[in-house]
Amino acid sequence: MTRLFGTNGIRWRPDSEKDHNFPVELGLAIGTYFGKGSTICMGRDTRITGPVISAGVASGILSTGCSIIDVGVVPTPTVQYGVRILGVAGGVMITASHNPPEFNGLKCIDNDGTEMARDKEEEIEKIYYSKEFQYARWDEVGKFKANDEISFAHMDHISSLIVPDSGWKKLKVVIDCSNGPAGKFTPKILRDMGCDVHTINAQPDGMFPGRLPEPLEKNLSGLMNAVVNAGADLGIAHDGDADRATFVDEKGNYINGDESLAVFTIDSLATEKGKVVVPVNTSRKVIDSIVENDGEVELTPIGSPVIARRMKMVNARVGGEGNGGVIFPENMLCRDGIMTAAKMVEILATSDLKLSEMVENLPDYTIIRSKFTCPDDLKTKVLDDVKKAMSDLEVIDIDGVKIEGENWWVLLRPSGTEPIFRVTAEAKDPEMAQNKLDEFKVLLKKIIEELS
Ligand code: MG
């Protein structure tokens, strides 16, 4: 059985007859999973295929006797907030997150507002492939209701958590909304918090004319220039569905997601000690910051649904990934780019330090990412042999194999879609990071040759 759901939902490019029928069958599978009489909260991002796909998915869901509360064009976390606040069975978000405009996708939300766990996604996949859908009789089909209150409720919720006082510095902020749903949210919330807000790419437009929706440094030259030209204290960039936020400092420098996660971690642990949940590929800039600030590190496999679930289990202070996806449990157990933006404003408005200074104070590490070709059928055996070869060192094997040295680490992760290993190396010394990367590539080559 082919997997439908990846780490963060399903993605596809809707071109063919098959692609256009897919949403209806997906809706039938989702509705059958939740069961007749359930209600599902549904939203979509600004992509131009959003209306056609959400109509297809809705048609499938309603046909199974489930009802829909449609919250319109919103960030993914708004649907997650809606599920919780409406007390419904689950949620569906039509989005391809950071992918280019020609893609779209779907994320399923569980009844507690978290991204659905893998075992539940598997149940939906099983129903989808078996085609054993539960069709409702004509007088039992679901009801469709639009609701535009949830957007405001989500914004009010964030505003209730971050309340400015008279001691706050007034910040000038430039927000790059990625032409996504964030345009209706982040500028308003930050203005209400007293910021002088400037925006770029704030109009919703599913062609993403301003920039590609992934908030990588190479896509954010517009924001970096705007911060410098405006003399702003902070730049904020969302991805296409605003579950993430990345930042630009007052000098116009791009701050990578590990660095901002470290800033959030330090801030969180300053208020109260506790656990911080991060995936195995997280930079030691974050790990060392947690330890130095008397926090406890909880490592998980990669993927925000796993992080959120672990945070719930261990009652974590904060958690997240090095891609700008941060989870603040006082808000919700999911990534929320708007909350992340608001939290950064709070930190800067109440600190004597500028963002560039906070980042300069972080532990110094260099991270390098690369890949290495390996036939799919050898991947498991290769990882076993790497573990054996490295058994003198600390080996973490919760997701791929991570080898921990004193001032360095290397992570080997098999790709689920390509015949490659993703190889990440980090060290205090840039040269050492490169040497470790090369060393492990030589080891991989040797092991693969021996096994072939
Ligand atoms: Mg996203």
Side-chain angles (χ1 to χ4, degrees):
M1 193 172 83
T2 322
R3 251 181 100 146
L4 288 178
F5 290 88
T7 316
N8 292 107
I10 308 175
R11 304 278 157 88
W12 74 97
R13 191 179 131 144
D15 289 311
S16 65
E17 180 189 334
K18 186 175 145 280
D19 299 332
H20 287 304
N21 287 324
F22 179 55
V24 180
E25 295 206 327
L26 203 50
L28 285 165
I30 292 167
T32 302
Y33 166 81
F34 282 109
K36 191 162 72 178
S38 305
T39 300
I40 293 163
C41 177
M42 188 166 166
R44 60 184 161 89
D45 69 15
T46 56
R47 285 164 199 274
I48 60 166
T49 53
V52 64
I53 290 174
S54 64
V57 172
S59 168
I61 290 175
L62 297 169
S63 306
T64 65
C66 289
S67 293
I68 289 176
I69 296 176
D70 185 277
V71 296
V73 175
V74 293
T76 297
T78 305
V79 171
Q80 296 177 277
Y81 183 75
V83 169
R84 267 192 3 173
I85 215 75
L86 294 164
V88 295
V92 166
M93 176 72 190
I94 308 300
T95 177
S97 184
H98 60 271
N99 289 124
E102 61 271 28
F103 289 90
N104 212 327
L106 179 148
K107 289 182 191 176
C108 278
I109 312 299
D110 216 338
N111 64 356
D112 61 356
T114 60
E115 290 172 85
M116 196 172 265
R118 180 63 200 143
D119 56 331
K120 295 182 179 177
E121 288 177 347
E122 271 171 11
E123 283 183 50
I124 294 173
E125 286 172 358
K126 255 185 229 157
I127 300 167
Y128 172 81
Y129 285 113
S130 74
K131 309 289 178 211
E132 284 173 11
F133 307 128
Q134 305 272 317
Y135 292 97
R137 221 174 50 188
W138 71 272
D139 56 349
E140 289 181 331
V141 295
K143 295 183 177 61
F144 183 94
K145 226 192 283 176
N147 178 325
D148 56 12
E149 298 294 314
I150 295 299
S151 294
F152 297 105
H154 179 207
M155 284 194 271
D156 287 347
H157 178 62
I158 293 171
S159 299
S160 74
L161 293 169
I162 300 177
V163 184
D165 65 40
S166 54
W168 277 35
K169 284 192 273 186
K170 187 177 172 75
L171 300 180
K172 187 187 269 192
V173 181
V174 185
I175 309 168
D176 179 341
C177 302
S178 173
N179 301 112
K184 283 195 298 190
F185 289 71
T186 313
K188 178 179 184 326
I189 287 185
L190 299 198
R191 253 176 218 129
D192 289 348
M193 287 169 65
C195 295
D196 175 8
V197 172
H198 299 234
T199 60
I200 56 176
N201 306 321
Q203 80 282 20
D205 188 331
M207 292 305 283
F208 301 111
R211 64 163 167 94
L212 287 172
E214 186 156 21
L216 299 173
E217 182 172 6
K218 63 176 182 189
N219 295 334
L220 297 183
S221 52
L223 176 63
M224 295 189 280
N225 290 332
V227 166
V228 173
N229 292 338
D233 302 286
L234 174 68
I236 299 169
H238 289 293
D239 69 328
D241 64 332
D243 55 355
R244 297 194 267 146
T246 55
F247 300 96
V248 168
D249 72 17
E250 78 289 349
K251 294 176 180 169
N253 295 315
Y254 177 78
I255 305 301
N256 75 47
D258 277 313
E259 290 165 337
S260 50
L261 182 57
V263 168
F264 289 123
T265 296
I266 293 166
D267 173 72
S268 175
L269 292 172
T271 327
E272 195 186 320
K273 304 302 171 200
K275 292 191 172 164
V276 180
V277 180
V278 291
V280 280
N281 63 344
T282 303
S283 165
R284 282 214 186 151
K285 284 181 192 241
V286 182
I287 306 286
D288 287 8
S289 299
I290 299 170
V291 176
E292 284 166 15
N293 290 277
D294 303 322
E296 264 181 81
V297 181
E298 276 279 321
L299 281 187
T300 67
I302 291 173
S304 56
V306 188
I307 298 170
R309 257 155 245 290
R310 181 71 65 82
M311 287 179 67
K312 191 175 181 179
M313 208 193 304
V314 303
N315 191 22
R317 292 284 303 142
V318 67
E321 309 169 295
N323 61 6
V326 189
I327 303 173
F328 299 95
E330 67 272 32
N331 173 36
M332 290 188 275
L333 280 167
C334 69
R335 299 176 297 179
D336 185 339
I338 300 132
M339 174 71 184
T340 306
K343 196 77 193 168
M344 183 59 92
V345 165
E346 180 189 54
I347 291 172
L348 292 177
T350 53
S351 172
D352 296 332
L353 297 178
K354 295 180 184 305
L355 182 55
S356 67
E357 294 166 335
M358 290 182 188
V359 171
E360 272 163 34
N361 289 345
L362 294 175
D364 208 9
Y365 282 95
T366 300
I367 202 161
I368 311 177
R369 294 184 178 87
S370 184
K371 36 185 147 173
F372 196 86
T373 308
C374 174
D376 284 327
D377 56 334
L378 290 184
K379 282 174 176 170
T380 313
K381 192 81 192 59
V382 170
L383 285 181
D384 281 344
D385 287 1
V386 172
K387 273 199 271 185
K388 272 180 214 145
M390 292 291 137
S391 57
D392 289 348
L393 292 163
E394 189 187 345
V395 177
I396 297 166
D397 60 358
I398 53 174
D399 189 352
V401 168
K402 185 181 190 184
I403 313 295
E404 294 264 12
E406 196 182 335
N407 282 319
W408 61 271
W409 58 268
V410 172
L411 173 68
L412 309 172
R413 283 186 76 237
S415 160
T417 51
E418 294 169 78
I420 55 162
F421 276 110
R422 300 194 189 285
V423 188
T424 313
E426 186 177 51
K428 279 236 178 242
D429 175 38
E431 208 176 307
M432 187 188 230
Q434 187 62 51
N435 290 345
K436 287 293 166 191
L437 189 81
D438 296 343
E439 205 180 288
F440 274 80
K441 283 187 168 180
V442 170
L443 177 68
L444 279 175
K445 185 164 182 274
K446 183 168 155 268
I447 291 173
I448 293 167
E449 275 170 8
E450 280 168 9
L451 290 172
S452 307

